[in-house]
Amino acid sequence: MKFVEPPSCSSPSTIVLIGRNHRGQWVAQEQNGLYGGLFVSRTQAIKYALFENGQHPETIVELPREIELDMGKRLDAAAPKRAA
């Protein structure tokens, strides 16, 4: 039996950015840093993005500028703080 890891997101509106980093490697990263990775080819970056976003090619954005993989983003840091 082969186990397949489920996609990291459940919303089809999740934007995945792809492009090359300063070393020429392909980067795929969810806009909020929820998931991402480095790839040897554009094809592999797109394949990964499609798997992670539930097969929604319309939510993949290829950037003309460099993009660096940043897995240090925190989703809770972007949320507005409430007064106690």
Side-chain angles (χ1 to χ4, degrees):
M1 183 186 317
K2 183 177 178 183
F3 292 99
V4 177
E5 185 176 331
S8 297
C9 68
S10 59
S11 171
S13 62
T14 300
I15 303 295
V16 181
L17 306 173
I18 67 167
R20 289 184 181 258
N21 66 10
H22 73 282
R23 293 182 173 183
Q25 299 163 313
W26 284 92
V27 174
Q29 182 166 3
E30 191 271 336
Q31 67 180 350
N32 295 317
L34 184 60
Y35 55 83
L38 294 174
F39 302 90
V40 175
S41 70
R42 178 180 181 269
T43 301
Q44 289 301 312
I46 290 173
K47 184 177 177 180
Y48 170 80
L50 286 170
F51 175 77
E52 289 293 342
N53 77 5
Q55 304 297 317
H56 293 280
E58 69 278 6
T59 64
I60 298 173
V61 177
E62 187 170 349
L63 300 175
R65 60 177 172 77
E66 285 185 353
I67 177 176
E68 299 297 330
L69 183 62
D70 181 7
M71 299 305 291
K73 293 180 182 179
R74 293 185 48 186
L75 294 176
D76 60 347
K81 305 273 187 216
R82 287 192 214 174

